[in-house]
Amino acid sequence: MPEKAAQKEPGKKPVPSKKPKPQQEVVVQIPLSELHPFPDHPFKVRDDEAMQETAESIRQYGVLVPAIVRPREDGGYEIIAGHRRRHGSVLAGLSAMPCIVRQMDDDTATILMVDSNIQRENILPSERAQAYKMKLEAIRRKAGRPAKTEEKADENNSPQVAANFRADDTVAKDAGISGDTVRRYIRLTELSPELQQMVDEKKIGMTPAVEISYLKPEEQQMLLTAIDSEQATPSLSQAQRMKKLSRDGKLNDDTMLDI
């Protein structure tokens, strides 16, 4: 005897799956003239040998990895990841490049911008410092915490104090480095542009630079004058003496030259 076919209950609809369908991002060609740099983008785009190689690759194969952008209030798009690809496209003579458009708030965009660039080679200390600071402040804002600068108060890099800096540790973990290393880099943002450049050019070491960062702006200017006069940059022990004299209110032109 043949089996009876299974019957559906009248009026009963199949239960739809509750799993959300993944949103597929679309790659679109956007004119280069509509692509604008991220505000205060910390990573410089240089016309060096690597850029020439990028431009040549784009000439031959096009832009293989789409940029990530977001709409701007003033029109056009803001580049989150892809500043070098855009410049390479300009050098290659292209008029547009492939992009993925995403809607995101300022802090999310900042974090993605930093994460998309921070692992590149040949990043200058000043660029890394500014990038870590921008990401740190974005993480704090997203967590609903004020963008305090506790790292300024941590003059002795106390492990007990450092343990409380959850945002610093998040930045460090994402970068694969220690929290203290992140805090030392962020200290470089307290240096004058001239002193930051000396760090980038390896005229001043990272450790002395951190100590010098605690000097007041006018004291840093005094130091620049002394460097120009003596044609020498401070060692770690000299930088530590300057920091102590500054803290005691005794750092002036004469004591600077004595050091």
Side-chain angles (χ1 to χ4, degrees):
M1 188 172 180
E3 294 182 0
K4 293 183 180 180
Q7 295 182 344
K8 296 181 180 179
E9 294 182 22
K12 189 171 183 179
K13 297 180 180 180
V15 179
S17 173
K18 293 183 179 180
K19 293 183 179 179
K21 294 182 180 180
Q23 292 183 345
Q24 186 173 7
E25 294 184 314
V26 179
V27 178
V28 294
Q29 291 286 335
I30 296 179
L32 301 181
S33 59
E34 294 185 19
L35 299 176
H36 303 273
F38 195 90
D40 300 319
H41 190 251
F43 305 102
K44 299 180 181 69
V45 176
R46 302 178 184 85
D47 281 316
D48 53 13
E49 184 177 348
M51 176 55 68
Q52 295 304 319
E53 292 175 357
T54 296
E56 183 58 33
S57 174
I58 291 174
R59 285 191 192 97
Q60 293 187 37
Y61 309 109
V63 177
L64 301 179
V65 179
I68 299 175
V69 302
R70 66 171 182 164
R72 295 171 77 235
E73 292 183 1
D74 298 333
Y77 300 86
E78 184 178 281
I79 303 173
I80 307 300
H83 292 78
R84 296 185 77 257
R85 277 163 278 172
R86 182 196 181 281
H87 189 62
S89 297
V90 172
L91 296 179
L94 303 185
S95 60
M97 65 181 284
C99 300
I100 294 173
V101 180
R102 292 183 186 173
Q103 295 283 352
M104 62 186 82
D105 60 55
D106 292 345
D107 292 332
T108 300
T110 296
I111 292 170
L112 179 57
M113 179 274 296
V114 172
D115 288 347
S116 299
N117 288 276
I118 201 67
Q119 298 300 335
R120 285 194 352 239
E121 296 181 2
N122 302 323
I123 296 177
L124 296 174
S126 63
E127 296 174 332
R128 195 176 295 276
Q130 185 61 30
Y132 286 152
K133 182 178 181 180
M134 291 176 70
K135 182 175 179 179
L136 174 67
E137 292 174 346
I139 290 174
R140 283 176 171 157
R141 286 191 297 265
K142 285 177 73 70
R145 295 167 55 190
K148 296 179 181 178
T149 53
E150 289 98 332
E151 63 273 9
K152 293 182 182 180
D154 183 24
E155 298 189 3
N156 298 315
N157 290 322
S158 166
Q160 291 82 3
V161 176
N164 295 324
F165 299 164
R166 302 288 180 87
D168 295 20
D169 293 335
T170 298
V171 174
K173 182 179 179 182
D174 291 345
I177 57 179
S178 71
D180 281 343
T181 298
V182 166
R183 286 182 280 279
R184 283 194 289 270
Y185 268 110
I186 291 176
R187 282 301 320 172
L188 299 184
T189 64
E190 301 298 323
L191 291 172
S192 69
E194 295 88 351
L195 289 171
Q196 287 187 36
Q197 184 175 350
M198 287 186 177
V199 177
D200 288 342
E201 295 173 352
K202 299 182 180 180
K203 295 178 180 178
I204 299 178
M206 179 74 175
T207 307
V210 171
E211 300 298 314
I212 294 169
S213 72
Y214 290 97
L215 303 185
K216 300 178 181 67
E218 60 272 19
E219 293 170 339
Q220 292 187 26
Q221 190 58 49
M222 286 164 43
L223 173 59
L224 285 168
T225 302
I227 289 174
D228 183 62
S229 172
E230 301 297 318
Q231 291 298 297
T233 55
S235 65
L236 174 57
S237 61
Q238 289 171 326
Q240 289 172 333
R241 288 170 61 193
M242 292 177 194
K243 176 183 172 183
K244 184 177 185 305
L245 287 171
S246 173
R247 189 170 52 215
D248 295 341
K250 297 179 180 178
L251 187 60
N252 52 47
D253 289 322
D254 291 335
T255 55
M256 180 79 73
L257 289 173
D258 287 341
I259 294 174

